[in-house]
Amino acid sequence: MKNKILKVKGMHCASCKNLIEGRVKKITGVEKIEVNFATEQAKINFDETKVSLEKMNEEIKNLGYSFEDNEAKMETKIMEHMGHEHHNEDEHLEHKVQFVFPISVLVFLVMMWDIGARTLNFIPNIPMPMELWNLILLILATVTIFWIGQPYLKAVVRAIKYKAVNMDTLIGIGTLTAYVYSALLTLMPQIGSWLNLPTETYFDVTIVVIGFISLGKQLETNSKRKTGETIKKLLGLQAKTALLWKDGKEVEVLISEVKIDDVLIIKPGAKIPVDGIVVSGFSSVDESMISGEPLPVDKKNGDVVVGATINKQGSFRMRATKIGAETMLAQIIKIVEEAAGSVAPIQTLADKISAVFVPIVLLVAFLSLIIWLLTGNVTLALLSFVGVLVIACPCALGLATPTAIIAGVGAGAENGILIKNAESLQKLASIDTVVLDKTGTITKGEPQITDIISIDKNYSEMEVLRYAAAVEKLSEHPLAVTIVQKAKSEKLELGEVKKFESKAGIGVVGMVNKKKVSVEKFEGNDELIEMGKTLVAIKIGGKMVGKIALSDTLKDEAIETIKKLHRQKIEVIMLTGDNQKTAEYVAKEVGIDQVIAGVLPQEKAIKIRELQDKRKKVVMAGDGINDAPALIQAEVGIAMATGTDIAMESAGITLLGGDIGKIPQSIKLARETMKTIKQNLFWAFIYNIVGIPVAAGILYPFFGLILNPIFAGMAMSLSSVSVVTNSLRLKWKKL
Ligand code: ADP
Ligand code: MG
């Protein structure tokens, strides 16, 4: 089974999505296909042994589309992004609009004048014989429909040939009808008088509708591109060259030539080319483009630096650890790209509707044509037929969700919030409970030793520390790291450990000097625990010989974050493997009122489950490595990224820089995005629900009112443009 993302060429409207999906799904060997109109991409799952790309392409070629293999390697993509991509089709559209739009406006003004002259006495008649004006219109309309309107005419031909209708078909039938009818009346007036038809022509409908719809499409393409600008921006962050330290010399090389373990020189003000570790020197680095954090971060020997961030005054050398597609920036781009193209569950509703839409609209249009013809009102029959076809485009419906998702995901990325897919964003909007892991999420995860207590006089405080550190040196737990560091700074000789064993969430055991030594969670009461410290017991040969108390500081933004979450009407719960008393102390300090403590790592997912059983919609925020099962169990898992590894499988959302202040921001972003989608869907629906009956002439018997197809065309373009613009607002929302 193969998974591929392909570029789709030739999509004009939201209903194209259904057409393509319908056709391709029927091919044997195709498991799944998801087409996204906003990104013009198709995600296909298929069996390579049964079906090829060419076969699929053949199938949709008749419908006027084609797939293009777009899976360019990230490296080449980053290399190639400089210089603008050429959008040939878009450019064509632009030229066409430049031609047809002024004509449409002119024709529109003349039409308004004509209406005015007929209804209001003080407006003079158009100083031109009707016949001449008609002839001019005939020429303009002919050019418009056969040149600018080509895609719509092709859609009509396809509809006849392959019985495949989409939005363009509707516009094609509508404008062609108006054109053919008017041309017949103009060129063969005898037919008109023979059938006793009114003398009015509808060239203006053809011209103005095509003109406005083309303009609408052009505006839509522009804003669609703008909603997706984040990726371009991210690509643009990549450095182009690097200063390599080679054989005692500085050599400037292309970034593609940098290899892992190369030593690179970073000068003041320079862009860091790839991910790596500082090996000498000292500086501070502006990481805002990646993490969204405005304050520069100090970098010294051993610190991780990220490609695309910018060095400030200092200068240092770094060893490259990640290059090409492995770099953090490349991972971010990949995640953003995939998320922007993913489908939110809410979209399926819109898709289902637009799938049945086109046939229904055709039916309504023909019905109103027949009904009004039966009443003998040819003008009305024609206007309603064309009007219904033109106003009914579900373009806005198709754009409502994806454009908001793209804008939302982009706004997130610019604030250091990486959203894996649209589904996570949608779910995040409706959660009511946030569960926070204590160590490393609420606290910094860098505990300090506050007390070392000897209980057995055979073991001094330093002996207690030495034995503890001897076992802990094989553990990666933050407590272990701290204990070992302390022992080293006291210059203690750490013995060798044998039979080392780590018990997740409890502690460690091992043999040191033939004695069984354990460092584990202290069970029982102690005033140090009451003070909010984490206490571990050191046992030798099963007997407790000492205790070490550690305390972790809260993250700077922790208190403010909890306040914000409460203001968002979200229940906040602390989940930890630590002692209940310690946990409660920290919880109180930070303003959390609910604590679930003493939970083993493997039980964290069960605790989440229990909350879900109480009908809570839970977000779990943790470090993404230890807490993976809980992150997966939760509605949405939020991982705190600290290093450069961000492609976390278990998390729907990754916060760069381990900043919990981004949790309320993400929730706000999710809520705003969903609000935008709902507004978009509402307006798109309303517009069609009201527009179609009015265009069909339902108001005519009562008020003598009929929607001129010209206004239908304007309304249609306007609705798409307004949906896209509404989505664009997300990009500028302050989080
Ligand atoms: P948290 O849920 O806060 O991340 P853990 O599940 O990692 O905490 O650990 C829970 C408790 O188990 C710690 O507070 C500590 O008392 C004990 N513990 C875990 N690992 C170790 C270790 N390597 N050394 C000493 N104590 C440990
Ligand atoms: Mg932890």
Side-chain angles (χ1 to χ4, degrees), residues 102-367:
I103 294 177
S104 307
V105 172
L106 183 80
V107 170
F108 178 70
L109 289 178
V110 173
M111 184 196 87
M112 294 306 283
W113 183 353
D114 187 42
I115 292 175
R118 271 192 254 175
T119 46
L120 301 167
N121 281 333
F122 60 87
I123 298 181
N125 278 335
I126 299 173
M128 194 187 335
M130 223 35 222
E131 290 73 27
L132 179 62
W133 179 233
N134 249 340
L135 227 58
I136 296 174
L137 282 177
L138 171 65
I139 295 165
L140 291 178
T142 309
V143 177
T144 305
I145 196 164
F146 289 107
W147 182 42
I148 321 280
Q150 234 177 48
Y152 311 115
L153 294 184
K154 280 188 189 155
V156 177
V157 175
R158 277 200 303 271
I160 297 165
K161 257 194 170 148
Y162 306 106
K163 310 222 167 6
V165 285
N166 62 9
M167 281 325 308
D168 289 357
T169 323
L170 300 185
I171 295 164
I173 297 176
T175 50
L176 192 64
T177 309
Y179 174 79
V180 171
Y181 175 85
S182 311
L184 277 178
L185 276 191
T186 310
L187 298 175
M188 289 176 261
Q190 58 278 21
I191 296 184
S193 47
W194 184 56
L195 285 172
N196 213 358
L197 292 175
T199 52
E200 278 130 70
T201 60
Y202 301 100
F203 290 123
D204 46 2
V205 170
T206 305
I207 298 168
V208 178
V209 166
I210 292 179
F212 272 88
I213 289 178
S214 304
L215 177 75
K217 283 218 166 133
Q218 151 111 60
L219 293 178
E220 192 185 301
T221 315
N222 286 351
S223 352
K224 256 179 15 184
R225 217 180 293 153
K226 231 176 249 155
T227 52
E229 245 169 20
T230 311
I231 293 170
K232 246 210 176 118
K233 225 187 210 164
L234 287 169
L235 281 167
L237 287 178
Q238 176 73 47
K240 296 166 186 72
T241 58
L243 266 187
L244 185 66
W245 183 247
K246 205 176 167 189
D247 309 325
K249 268 194 312 229
E250 283 178 21
V251 199
E252 183 159 5
V253 295
L254 281 178
I255 191 144
S256 53
E257 295 166 33
V258 175
K259 284 181 275 306
I260 286 183
D261 283 339
D262 276 353
V263 173
L264 307 172
I265 298 168
I266 313 296
K267 300 236 161 119
K271 205 176 245 186
I272 294 169
V274 293
D275 295 357
I277 291 174
V278 178
V279 290
S280 70
F282 176 88
S283 186
S284 67
V285 172
D286 176 4
E287 295 190 332
S288 59
M289 55 296 289
I290 297 285
S291 68
E293 283 310 309
L295 286 182
V297 188
D298 285 344
K299 299 288 178 185
K300 55 179 190 312
N301 215 341
D303 282 347
V304 172
V305 284
V306 179
T309 58
I310 292 172
N311 184 26
K312 306 287 265 193
Q313 288 89 3
S315 120
F316 62 90
R317 287 186 190 182
M318 62 176 278
R319 183 169 57 81
T321 54
K322 282 179 179 172
I323 54 170
E326 298 300 311
T327 62
M328 186 158 170
L329 180 69
Q331 292 179 57
I332 293 177
I333 293 170
K334 188 158 177 267
I335 291 173
V336 171
E337 216 166 25
E338 283 185 8
S342 67
V343 178
I346 194 169
Q347 197 182 326
T348 39
L349 172 72
D351 285 349
K352 276 189 191 138
I353 292 171
S354 52
V356 292
F357 208 74
V358 178
I360 290 180
V361 167
L362 273 174
L363 195 74
V364 173
F366 277 107
L367 274 179

Side-chain angles (χ1 to χ4, degrees), residues 279-541:
V279 290
S280 70
F282 176 88
S283 186
S284 67
V285 172
D286 176 4
E287 295 190 332
S288 59
M289 55 296 289
I290 297 285
S291 68
E293 283 310 309
L295 286 182
V297 188
D298 285 344
K299 299 288 178 185
K300 55 179 190 312
N301 215 341
D303 282 347
V304 172
V305 284
V306 179
T309 58
I310 292 172
N311 184 26
K312 306 287 265 193
Q313 288 89 3
S315 120
F316 62 90
R317 287 186 190 182
M318 62 176 278
R319 183 169 57 81
T321 54
K322 282 179 179 172
I323 54 170
E326 298 300 311
T327 62
M328 186 158 170
L329 180 69
Q331 292 179 57
I332 293 177
I333 293 170
K334 188 158 177 267
I335 291 173
V336 171
E337 216 166 25
E338 283 185 8
S342 67
V343 178
I346 194 169
Q347 197 182 326
T348 39
L349 172 72
D351 285 349
K352 276 189 191 138
I353 292 171
S354 52
V356 292
F357 208 74
V358 178
I360 290 180
V361 167
L362 273 174
L363 195 74
V364 173
F366 277 107
L367 274 179
S368 57
L369 176 74
I370 292 165
I371 290 172
W372 291 122
L373 274 181
L374 288 178
T375 66
N377 193 336
V378 181
T379 311
L380 207 54
L382 211 72
L383 285 181
S384 66
F385 180 67
V386 179
V388 169
L389 291 176
V390 170
I391 203 163
C393 177
C395 262
L397 212 52
L399 287 167
T401 315
T403 52
I405 292 290
I406 295 170
V409 166
E414 283 173 30
N415 284 285
I417 300 166
L418 281 189
I419 298 154
K420 198 156 86 184
N421 51 41
E423 194 180 345
S424 302
L425 200 59
Q426 178 170 349
K427 282 184 175 165
L428 186 61
S430 59
I431 60 104
D432 51 26
T433 308
V434 169
V435 175
L436 298 170
D437 175 50
K438 180 174 76 90
T439 317
T441 304
I442 298 174
T443 66
K444 286 188 175 152
E446 296 159 359
Q448 303 294 319
I449 293 181
T450 59
D451 309 78
I452 304 174
I453 297 146
S454 144
I455 299 175
D456 186 325
K457 50 184 177 315
N458 295 326
Y459 297 93
S460 68
E461 284 170 14
M462 281 305 125
E463 280 295 276
V464 169
L465 177 63
R466 189 170 73 86
Y467 273 101
V471 198
E472 292 282 29
K473 74 173 182 266
L474 292 186
S475 165
E476 282 168 4
H477 199 276
L479 294 178
V481 173
T482 306
I483 290 173
V484 173
Q485 249 169 21
K486 176 81 176 170
K488 279 187 179 157
S489 73
E490 298 284 349
K491 307 239 170 352
L492 299 176
E493 194 63 43
L494 305 184
E496 207 182 315
V497 224
K498 289 190 179 126
K499 293 194 183 157
F500 171 82
E501 209 184 308
S502 160
K503 299 187 232 168
I506 296 171
V508 289
V509 262
M511 301 294 288
V512 183
N513 293 345
K514 302 209 169 68
K515 283 183 266 198
K516 183 179 169 191
V517 181
S518 71
V519 187
E520 287 178 353
K521 183 171 356 185
F522 178 85
E523 305 282 1
N525 287 327
D526 194 299
E527 60 175 3
L528 288 168
I529 292 179
E530 309 273 341
M531 288 159 69
K533 290 173 183 172
T534 297
L535 201 57
V536 292
I538 293 89
K539 290 180 186 161
I540 297 183

Side-chain angles (χ1 to χ4, degrees), residues 540-593:
I540 297 183
K543 186 175 171 293
M544 184 152 78
V545 299
K547 296 182 278 193
I548 296 178
L550 302 102
S551 115
D552 199 353
T553 38
L554 294 180
K555 282 189 185 167
D556 297 334
E557 66 282 6
I559 294 175
E560 188 53 38
T561 300
I562 309 298
K563 271 196 203 136
K564 274 195 193 150
L565 286 170
H566 282 147
R567 254 182 267 137
Q568 287 177 324
K569 304 247 176 324
I570 284 169
E571 217 178 310
V572 185
I573 300 174
M574 180 158 116
L575 184 64
T576 177
D578 211 342
N579 179 293
Q580 178 82 28
K581 286 258 165 61
T582 312
E584 271 171 15
Y585 185 93
V586 177
K588 204 167 158 212
E589 206 180 1
V590 77
I592 296 179
D593 38 28

